[in-house]
Amino acid sequence: MADSKKPRAPFAPWDRRELPGLFSVEESARRVGAYKWCELKLFEALGGWIATVPELDVKMRLGAHCYKHAWHAELWHKRLPELREMNPDRLTVAPNEHMVRFIEALTEPEAPELTIEKLVGVYRVFIPHFISAYTFHLNNTSDITDAPTMRSLRFVLQDEFEDWRDGEMLIQSLIETPSEVDRATNHQASLEKILLAAGGITGSGTIGFNTPEHEGALI
Amino acid sequence: MRKFLPVEDLARDERFNQITMNDRMADQRTAITTDSRPSRAANRIVPSRADASDAARGLMHGIFVGEIQALEGAGRTCWDFTTGSEAPFELKLDMARQCWDEARHVEISCKLSDWMGSEIGEYAENTVLFQAACSNDPVLRLAGVNRALEGLAIDVFTTMKEFGEVAGDQYLEFAEDWMLADEVTHVKMGSDWLRKITENDPERRKKALDFQSVVDKLFSYGGTRSESQESPIGLARRFRELAGFDDQEIDVIADLSLAALEERKAAVLEAQAALN
Ligand SMILES: [Fe+2]
Ligand SMILES: [Fe+2]
């Protein structure tokens, strides 16, 4: 048996975690607040749509996914006080007015024949933007100081990937004609343009800026 | 998407036929009206009944469409109210959880319907369940849907679980047992939120409890559910207790259900006398 008094390094050779991260506590809280706002808007919409889609398999999927996004909203809600925001409602806000407009446009379709539009908005636009925002946060925050956020991000990302695949397969199975392909792509384009103006789900700099002068910068 | 979706706008594929409560009472194949002559000593759905399979299939289809509407109702409560000012965030989280549970119940019901040899749309869909989820007060929805309607679901699942047990149908018994666990959770959500939100608002609480009792009476379906063996569905006292009902509340439902059964028997006698 090894000598129990022998000094060991606090970080084992295989533990390459680093202390520096891109986000201050304040910036992390701002992003988490925006995540909560977006997840809340998403689960409310999914819940509302359940009664408006005639396809039984879609109806049930929306029910299951509604809960997952509510759970994400709950995780972010609970993380906010740990990031020094004792009034979580204060940061549960849209990052800018374009995101408010995006949610309005996303939730506009209601008629039973618009299932393709409903699903495209969620699974081809909103969820891919969640995946990129969460991945950016996960890859740029401090491995050590922000570990609790990272743990939630990993759980949430697993859900997002699974839900994205579910939704994409539903869309592919619903699209049967070239004009339905057009419907899907047109709707996707119109929503993407609003998100472009928003700068992503946490606003400008959601996934950073890939230019040499901006390297590592958030704004 | 609008807030508050009218019941007529529930989206369904072409297999579904939606009817009103009156239409349903007139459908001779449903468990509710099947051979409910007053001369019959026991009407409870048990395997020894000659029409047991038909009655159980009809009841299963009723559960299936009820699960769809419960899913839709919980979803609408996530959407119809503004978070914070009209419905607490945590209440919406519970409703979202209920959506997932009800979605699984629809899946389970589809599997069970297959197992029992019936098809989607074989029986009509009574949309009165969703109507209870259309109130503009979330507390009334929780009283009408979670406490009254899902309280009935506890009774129905307990009866079906017992049916599976007696019939030696482990597939049915297994599924009903799991759904029963979820429904107890949903009824408890209703009981807890009703108490919490109306803690300092006795008027709102009274309004919610009155609404619950109207729905309870409506869902007593003319004596379909009571502690009498003349009712196809029993009253599951123990599981209702787990779900936050006190003894007095259960007694009230028991009395209400028996009165509804007596009313129905008198109406049937009257109808028979008119025919003779
Ligand atoms: Fe259910
Ligand atoms: Fe339920």
Side-chain angles (χ1 to χ4, degrees), chain B residues 67 70 98 101-102 105 146 150 153 157 179 182-183 186-187:
Chain B
E67 299 297 356
Q98 192 177 335
D101 297 348
E102 304 300 0
H105 294 178
N146 289 60
E150 308 214 52
F157 292 154
M179 289 206 282
D182 291 337
E183 297 305 358
H186 300 165
V187 178

Side-chain angles (χ1 to χ4, degrees), chain B residues 5-18:
Chain B
L5 190 80
V7 66
E8 309 81 65
D9 289 351
L10 283 179
R12 294 286 181 274
D13 69 39
E14 62 188 21
R15 288 169 296 185
F16 291 82
N17 296 295
Q18 295 176 338

